[in-house]
Amino acid sequence: MSVTRVSCTPAAAELIAKLKRLHGCELLFHQSGGCCDGSAPMCYPQDEFRVGDSDVKLGEIEGCPFYMGADQFEYWRHTHLIIDVVPGRGSGFSLEAPEGVRFITRSRLLTGDEEADLDR
């Protein structure tokens, strides 16, 4: 299995599939670091979010590109992000908000071998 910077749990994968069906479009994730929503993975229709020049693409989850701001990436570069879903109210800007659940980010440190593989 190849090393990635981001993955998701089966529960998150199920919610992503549901959101794609409900909204009838491709989705995009951005790991927010903003003041309004804390640090949360935000889900948007791909054509409604403009990726900035300083955003870093970490990979994809369930075919959805996953980005993070470059400054925030410097703090998270040694971790693997695992996107999960829990009951609760997320940000009103993220597509899952009306579903009574929210995406959350869990993480673990990358091993030395994994980091070396990513740096190649």
Side-chain angles (χ1 to χ4, degrees):
M1 184 174 175
S2 64
V3 178
T4 63
R5 291 193 180 278
V6 63
S7 64
C8 68
T9 64
E14 188 176 309
L15 179 58
I16 292 166
K18 178 180 180 179
L19 292 173
K20 284 180 178 180
R21 285 191 309 274
L22 283 172
H23 295 277
C25 63
E26 294 301 313
L27 307 177
L28 170 145
F29 283 84
H30 191 277
Q31 177 70 37
S32 175
C35 62
C36 298
D37 45 273
S39 181
M42 306 290 285
C43 181
Y44 303 100
Q46 267 190 29
D47 61 354
E48 292 183 21
F49 185 89
R50 178 174 277 177
V51 176
D53 290 340
S54 66
D55 286 325
V56 176
K57 184 178 180 184
L58 301 183
E60 294 188 357
I61 54 173
E62 299 300 304
C64 305
F66 194 102
Y67 294 90
M68 172 184 287
D71 290 343
Q72 190 175 10
F73 176 70
E74 287 306 310
Y75 292 105
W76 291 71
R77 74 177 315 117
H78 303 292
T79 61
H80 175 85
L81 306 183
I82 303 124
I83 306 309
D84 200 357
V85 62
V86 296
R89 178 95 168 107
S91 170
F93 299 114
S94 193
L95 290 180
E96 82 281 3
E99 304 301 313
V101 294
R102 63 187 180 97
F103 288 109
I104 63 165
T105 300
R106 302 182 192 282
S107 65
R108 67 168 178 81
L109 288 175
L110 293 165
T111 67
D113 288 343
E114 288 172 326
E115 283 197 74
D117 191 41
L118 285 168
D119 289 340
R120 284 183 228 179

